[in-house]
C-alpha cells in the first residue's frame, strides 16, 4: 500500500509509520533495549520494518499510539515531542527519553533524538530478508523520512483481523493486542468473545457486546476470510471485563541470537491448547505439535513458539486434546445443540451436499440455516 505523502500527524492518536523510501512499516517486536540510550551503537533490535501489506494490515505490532508530550529542543532544534507506545511498552520505557518529530515539507517526517549530536531514525534493508528492514541511527537523507498514517477503519491504513481457522463455514481468529477496539460498521456480523471457563470438556465463551479494552486476549468470529472485511475501530476506552477470562496472551515471539532479545512462549502440547478445528468439525481449542508453529523469519521469530499477539489456553496435564467452543447461554441452558429423537452420530451437510460437521451428535455452534442430518431436514436458528 502506498499513500500520498502529506502532513498526517495530528496530535495524539493511533498511527503507522511508513518509510518514504522503502515503503516498509515499523513493527515493534520486543520491549527492551540493551543500551537503553540512543547512541551510534544503539540497540534497535526491538523493531523491524516490513513491506507486505497483507501482513502489516493485520499485525498489531505495527499499531503505534503517538502520545503528544509538548515541545522541546532535540539536538538544538525545537520540535514536537512524543512518547510512542505499543505492544505494552513505549519509547520512554525502552530508551528512557521522548522522541522529537519534525516535518519537512514535501519530504516527510523525521524521528529525532539527541545524545550530544542529533540522530535521525532511518530504515535499511536487512542483510538476510529482502522484504524486511532494520532501523538505524546512522541513516542518510535517502532513508530518514517517514509517512505517519492515521489508523482508521474507513481509510487505506486500516487494521483488520486475519482468520486462522475455518470451521463449519465460519472464520475464527484470536488476538492479544495493546489497544482497545470495537468491530467496525463494515465488519457486519463480527463477534468478539472471551473464554469464561473450561467445563465438561468444553470452552465456555462469553460475547463482548461493547468496546473491548486493551490487553484482552479474545476470540473472533469473523464475517470475512480477509483482514479488509474484518476491520476494527481502534481507540482508547475505559471498558473493563470480568476477571474470569481464562485465555492467556503473548506480545512477543523473538529470538534473534542475542540472549537479551529472546522473548517467546514455547508451545507445550501437554499444557497448552490453541484455536483450531475439532475432529467433528467444530471450532475449539485443540492440541497441536510444536512443529505446527513455523515462522518465515527464523532469525528473530523462532519456530515451535506461540506466534506474537496470539491468545491461547493454559490447561492442566491430562486435559482432552480437543475442547469445543460453546456459548455461555447454551451451557447455562444445558444445550449442546438441536437434537432429533433417536439421533445417532451422523454427518451434517448443507442442502447442496457440503459436509459441515462429521459424525455429529450436536448442532451447537452451527451457523443458522437449513441442513440435512440423519437423512432429515433440520433448521438451526
Amino acid at each position: 500500500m502506498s499513500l500520498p505523502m502529506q502532513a498526517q500527524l495530528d496530535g495524539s492518536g493511533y498511527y503507522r509509520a511508513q518509510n518514504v523510501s522503502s515503503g516498509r512499516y515499523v513493527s515493534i517486536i520486543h520491549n527492551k533495549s540493551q543500551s537503553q540510550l540512543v547512541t551510534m551503537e544503539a540497540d534497535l533490535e526491538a523493531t523491524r520494518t516490513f513491506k507486505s501489506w497483507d501482513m502489516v494490515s493485520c499485525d498489531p505490532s505495527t499499531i503505534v499510539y503517538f502520545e503528544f508530550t509538548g515541545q522541546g529542543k532535540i539536538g538544538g532544534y525545537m520540535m514536537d515531542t512524543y512518547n510512542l507506545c505499543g505492544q505494552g511498552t513505549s519509547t520512554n520505557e525502552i530508551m528512557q527519553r521522548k522522541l522529537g518529530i519534525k516535518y519537512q515539507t514535501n519530504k516527510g517526517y523525521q524521528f529525532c533524538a539527541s545524545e550530544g549530536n542529533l540522530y535521525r531514525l532511518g530504515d535499511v534493508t536487512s542483510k538476510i530478508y529482502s522484504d524486511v528492514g532494520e532501523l538505524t541511527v546512522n541513516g542518510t537523507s535517502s532513508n530518514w523520512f517517514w509517512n505517519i498514517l492515521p489508523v482508521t477503519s474507513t481509510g487505506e491504513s486500516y487494521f483488520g483481523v486475519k482468520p486462522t481457522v475455518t470451521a463449519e463455514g465460519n472464520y475464527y481468529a484470536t488476538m492479544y493486542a495493546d489497544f482497545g477496539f470495537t468491530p467496525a460498521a463494515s465488519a457486519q456480523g463480527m463477534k468478539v468473545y472471551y473464554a469464561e471457563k473450561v467445563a465438561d470438556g468444553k470452552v465456555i465463551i462469553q460475547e463482548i457486546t461493547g468496546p473491548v479494552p486493551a490487553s484482552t486476549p479474545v476470540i473472533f468470529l469473523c464475517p470475512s476470510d480477509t483482514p479488509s472485511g474484518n476491520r476494527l475501530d481502534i481507540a482508547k476506552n475505559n471498558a473493563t471485563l470480568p476477571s474470569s477470562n481464562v485465555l492467556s496472551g503473548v506480545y512477543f515471539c523473538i529470538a534473534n541470537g542475542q540472549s537479551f532479545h529472546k522473548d517467546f512462549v514455547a508451545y507445550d502440547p501437554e499444557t497448552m491448547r490453541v484455536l483450531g478445528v475439532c475432529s467433528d468439525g467444530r471450532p475449539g481449542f485443540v492440541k497441536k505439535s510444536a512443529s505446527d508453529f513455523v515462522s518465515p523469519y527464523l532469525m528473530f521469530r523462532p519456530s515451535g513458539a506461540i506466534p506474537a499477539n496470539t491468545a491461547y489456553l493454559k490447561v492442566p496435564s491430562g486435559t482432552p486434546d480437543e475442547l469445543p467452543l460453546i456459548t455461555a447461554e447454551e451451557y447455562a441452558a444445558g444445550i449442546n445443540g438441536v437434537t432429533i429423537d433417536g439421533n445417532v452420530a451422523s454427518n451434517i451437510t448443507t442442502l447442496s451436499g457440503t459436509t459441515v460437521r462429521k459424525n455429529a451428535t450436536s448442532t451447537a455452534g452451527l451457523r443458522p440455516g437449513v441442513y440435512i442430518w440423519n437423512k432429515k431436514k433440520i433448521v438451526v436458528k
Side-chain angles (χ1 to χ4, degrees), residues 71-137:
Q71 290 187 320
K73 280 194 173 182
I74 307 291
Y77 296 90
M78 185 62 68
M79 302 181 192
D80 289 341
T81 59
Y82 283 82
N83 183 28
L84 307 187
C85 310
Q87 294 288 79
T89 189
S90 70
T91 50
N92 276 359
E93 294 176 35
I94 293 176
M95 300 188 304
Q96 299 179 351
R97 63 189 62 202
K98 303 179 180 73
L99 286 179
I101 298 182
K102 179 182 179 182
Y103 181 72
Q104 186 168 338
T105 305
N106 298 325
K107 288 190 176 182
Y109 291 91
Q110 298 173 36
F111 294 92
C112 304
S114 64
E115 189 174 319
N117 297 316
L118 176 68
Y119 296 102
R120 299 173 176 87
L121 196 65
D123 179 35
V124 295
T125 302
S126 166
K127 297 177 182 178
I128 300 172
Y129 305 109
S130 60
D131 59 337
V132 177
E134 300 174 355
L135 297 185
T136 177
V137 292

Side-chain angles (χ1 to χ4, degrees), residues 14-93:
Y14 286 98
Y15 299 86
R16 285 190 179 95
Q18 181 193 32
N19 190 267
V20 171
S21 176
S22 70
R24 292 186 290 255
Y25 299 82
V26 171
S27 167
I28 302 170
I29 63 173
H30 202 203
N31 62 353
K32 294 181 176 66
S33 170
Q34 193 166 21
S35 67
Q36 298 296 316
L37 296 171
V38 178
T39 70
M40 296 297 284
E41 301 298 328
D43 173 21
L44 299 175
E45 296 293 326
T47 54
R48 283 291 188 276
T49 57
F50 296 95
K51 192 163 189 176
S52 169
W53 177 247
D54 287 341
M55 183 178 74
V56 169
S57 65
C58 56
D59 186 350
S61 73
T62 67
I63 305 299
V64 181
Y65 186 76
F66 283 58
E67 180 184 22
F68 178 67
T69 56
Q71 290 187 320
K73 280 194 173 182
I74 307 291
Y77 296 90
M78 185 62 68
M79 302 181 192
D80 289 341
T81 59
Y82 283 82
N83 183 28
L84 307 187
C85 310
Q87 294 288 79
T89 189
S90 70
T91 50
N92 276 359
E93 294 176 35

Side-chain angles (χ1 to χ4, degrees), residues 19-21 121-124 136 138-146:
N19 190 267
V20 171
S21 176
L121 196 65
D123 179 35
V124 295
T136 177
N138 297 323
T140 67
S141 58
S142 65
N143 63 23
W144 68 35
F145 289 102
W146 300 82

